[in-house]
Amino acid sequence: MKRWLILVVFVTLLSGCAGFIRSNISVFHEIPPTFTGTTYAVIPFKEQEGSLEHKTYERAVKRELDAKGFREAPIENAEVVIFVSYGIDTGKEVIESYPIIGQTGVSSSHSYGTLQSYGSYGTYSGTTTYTPTYGVVGSGVTSSTEYTRFLKLDILDKKALTEKQIKKLYEAKVVSRGSSGQLSAVLPTMIKALFEDFPGKSGSTRRTIRSRDE
């Protein structure tokens, strides 16, 4: 019974990791410290126009920007414009080994019982219990598919853009890898991870672990 309990606990711990998203975030920016109140507009790329999926992610980005002090405005009144891109690959097979925990031996034993005598005769009834030891008795192999997901966010100076110049104020990339092949299940968490430390230190790379349920 204990052997199976240890194995079940081990498998449960492994499966629990699936509820967390690990993200690597790289950032470069020239955002001044006094960016509070900056007006912005999010502009979709041509292939994103009319996409309900893009609108969902766009709303998530806007919530984070508003919480950081930015203010949404019509494109003609915006000081900066924001582009959001994202994607997921087709996945690759990942093979991992894991230990199998089981009984490896006996550390001690204890016997007890009763003796009944009848004149010159007697009977004995006893029981012996053993204390088992547990450890690694073998290994197993699992195969799964790992997907790479990415999110990119660029903030551009709107005035320069109207003059047909590109002046980036901020660019960031978030990359995560995991078993979920549904971008919609992980991207909202990746967006939150990006804005945990915004705008952050330019040229820095950081790692975060967030629960999908946050």
Side-chain angles (χ1 to χ4, degrees):
M1 178 65 180
K2 289 184 179 179
R3 177 179 61 184
W4 286 109
L5 179 59
I6 294 174
L7 185 57
V8 168
V9 170
F10 179 76
V11 173
T12 301
L13 289 174
L14 286 179
S15 62
C17 295
F20 292 85
I21 307 297
R22 295 170 173 81
S23 300
N24 293 327
I25 304 167
S26 57
V27 171
F28 295 88
H29 72 83
E30 295 180 351
I31 293 180
T34 56
F35 63 83
T36 302
T38 300
T39 54
Y40 74 91
V42 179
I43 301 179
F45 290 105
K46 184 69 176 178
E47 63 273 16
Q48 296 171 338
E49 293 179 354
S51 168
L52 295 178
E53 180 183 24
H54 175 72
K55 288 182 178 179
T56 299
Y57 304 147
E58 183 180 302
R59 284 194 294 267
V61 169
K62 288 178 179 179
R63 283 194 296 268
E64 298 296 335
L65 287 169
D66 294 344
K68 296 298 182 181
F70 283 77
R71 294 186 297 109
E72 186 178 8
I75 182 62
E76 60 272 15
N77 298 329
E79 298 171 85
V80 298
V81 292
I82 297 173
F83 296 91
V84 181
S85 57
Y86 42 83
I88 186 170
D89 68 5
T90 56
K92 66 176 182 179
E93 184 181 20
V94 177
I95 298 177
E96 296 178 310
S97 62
Y98 60 89
I100 296 176
I101 309 299
Q103 185 174 338
T104 57
V106 176
S107 62
S108 62
S109 63
H110 176 70
S111 298
Y112 62 92
T114 57
L115 176 64
Q116 294 180 335
S117 60
Y118 304 93
S120 57
Y121 300 96
T123 60
Y124 173 78
S125 175
T127 302
T128 300
T129 60
Y130 300 93
T131 302
T133 58
Y134 296 93
V136 178
V137 297
S139 63
V141 176
T142 62
S143 175
S144 61
T145 302
E146 181 182 77
Y147 298 89
T148 299
R149 298 78 60 119
F150 77 88
L151 164 71
K152 293 182 67 178
L153 189 143
D154 295 299
I155 301 178
L156 281 67
D157 182 273
K158 204 285 289 289
K159 182 179 179 181
L161 201 61
T162 57
E163 297 172 354
K164 298 184 178 180
Q165 298 178 8
I166 296 179
K167 182 181 178 182
K168 280 191 179 183
L169 302 175
Y170 177 93
E171 62 180 47
K173 185 174 184 179
V174 185
V175 178
S176 74
R177 295 179 177 86
S179 60
S180 178
Q182 294 183 327
L183 192 60
S184 60
V186 299
L187 202 67
T189 303
M190 292 169 63
I191 292 173
K192 289 181 179 179
L194 172 60
F195 283 94
E196 275 182 0
D197 180 21
F198 180 89
K201 182 180 178 181
S202 182
S204 66
T205 299
R206 58 186 173 91
R207 296 181 179 181
T208 66
I209 301 177
R210 292 185 65 100
S211 169
R212 289 190 198 178
D213 297 329
E214 291 181 357

